[in-house]
Amino acid sequence: MRIVRTIAEVRAAVSAARDAGDIVGLVPTMGALHEGHLSLVRRAREGSDLVVVSLFVNPTQFAPGEDLAAYPRTEERDAELAAGAGADILFAPPASEIYPDGFATSIHVAGITEVLCGAHRGAAHFDGVATVVAKLFQIVAPDVAYFGQKDAQQVLVIRRLVRDLDMPVRIEACPIVREPDGLAMSSRNVYLDAAARKRATALNRALDAAEAVVARGETGAPEVLAAARAVLTDAGIDPEYLELRSAEDLRELTRVEGTALLAVAAQVGAARLIDNRILEAR
Ligand code: AMP
């Protein structure tokens, strides 16, 4: 695996592969890699000939007061893990390569960014995500890009971006990877102390409880949400949001119909955690 730091280098490497007829897969990450990220890299390895993993802690998607400075940075280990999972190229640029002096452009995806994490982290979050992902697509020009369903709203934002701007890339969403006790893997889990780590399992258990309600045939949003909320309350967690929305366009649902997304965000100890579950009525 080659580590490259400049746009010119990664473009040169990719265009050589493309000239040879190779399919290029991209896995965008902010590093501090865990099994969730590695599942995307392995999936990319299966589905493409050249696998590019990007590692960039994107400053524009952090609001003031969020954890940009504290965000875990473990590049050496990330490089080993990415290589082990099948990456060919690790693109790890400095911030000045992505945002040179005078950088003035931002991409705003309207509508679906105004709820859930967009409402709570501020509109700038998804502007930052859309802008950096658009740049990565311009730089790497992948045939396929792999994202985790863990960030369900992010996947929808990227799909909208790609459709609206006619970007010639296929977006593949990959399943949420969990710890053995159900906690969704996240680079931010390192912020959890032992007590908070234990309490954090309540997010997945809350989603389980909601799923069980739906499996019993109760599909009303109040019942589904109450079941999830009870588990959170029991663990002393007051969620930032806990909402039932359409998995396709994030409109609020009054009952589980079609494909519903139950999404939760909560501060647990020092970490802001998110999780979600697709619910389908029988
Ligand atoms: P991040 O480094 O947090 O920006 O995440 C990079 C990519 O990995 C995003 O597409 C995430 O959705 C995905 N990802 C993060 N955690 C998980 C997980 N537990 N399971 C699956 N994908 C994940």
Side-chain angles (χ1 to χ4, degrees):
M1 187 188 74
R2 268 181 72 195
I3 301 179
V4 301
R5 310 233 172 243
T6 67
I7 292 167
E9 282 174 300
V10 73
R11 279 211 168 119
V14 170
S15 71
R18 186 177 304 287
D19 289 349
D22 287 354
I23 293 186
V24 178
L26 171 66
V27 181
T29 83
M30 299 206 301
L33 300 186
H34 51 65
E35 276 301 313
H37 299 111
L38 299 179
S39 73
L40 307 188
V41 179
R42 291 190 197 104
R43 186 70 203 92
R45 182 71 280 162
E46 286 166 18
S48 24
D49 301 305
L50 182 79
V51 176
V52 181
V53 174
S54 63
L55 191 176
F56 182 61
V57 182
N58 176 35
T60 63
Q61 72 188 70
F62 289 77
E66 287 189 352
D67 56 340
L68 174 61
Y71 200 82
R73 288 164 172 85
T74 56
E75 187 187 306
E76 237 174 80
R77 184 168 174 276
D78 291 347
E80 277 170 31
L81 291 171
D88 297 304
I89 295 174
L90 183 70
F91 175 46
S96 58
E97 183 75 3
I98 300 298
Y99 299 115
D101 282 348
F103 187 89
T105 301
S106 175
I107 296 184
H108 178 68
V109 177
I112 53 171
T113 57
E114 284 151 27
V115 299
L116 302 178
C117 282
H120 291 269
R121 297 184 72 177
H125 169 66
F126 284 116
D127 291 357
V129 169
T131 304
V132 81
V133 169
K135 281 181 66 87
L136 289 169
F137 287 177
Q138 286 291 109
I139 293 165
V140 177
D143 298 286
V144 199
Y146 299 85
F147 292 87
Q149 182 62 22
K150 159 95 186 332
D151 298 270
Q153 187 175 17
Q154 174 171 276
V155 172
L156 292 176
V157 171
I158 302 302
R159 287 195 192 283
R160 187 78 260 163
L161 167 78
V162 162
R163 239 178 272 148
D164 289 353
L165 297 186
D166 310 299
M167 295 173 163
V169 54
R170 185 167 67 78
I171 303 304
E172 194 169 316
C174 302
I176 301 175
V177 177
R178 298 179 180 282
E179 299 287 355
D181 65 5
L183 175 66
M185 290 195 182
S186 164
S187 303
R188 291 189 166 96
N189 290 351
V190 297
Y191 301 154
L192 298 167
D193 64 20
R197 171 66 186 76
K198 232 178 181 169
R199 286 200 302 135
T201 61
L203 270 66
N204 177 58
R205 286 187 286 110
L207 299 174
D208 285 344
E211 195 168 58
V213 165
V214 176
R216 284 205 309 266
E218 292 249 34
T219 57
E223 291 78 13
V224 172
L225 293 170
R229 186 171 288 273
V231 175
L232 296 174
T233 304
D234 206 45
I237 295 171
D238 180 20
E240 190 179 277
Y241 63 72
L242 172 68
E243 295 180 29
L244 185 69
R245 291 182 174 273
S246 157
E248 269 139 44
D249 57 15
L250 298 187
R251 74 180 185 284
E252 204 159 9
L253 296 179
T254 56
R255 59 177 48 260
V256 175
E257 56 190 355
T259 319
L261 177 75
L262 179 61
V264 61
Q267 189 72 34
V268 182
R272 180 185 178 278
L273 303 178
I274 59 172
D275 203 347
N276 70 82
R277 184 78 48 88
I278 298 289
L279 299 176
E280 282 173 23
R282 286 184 295 174

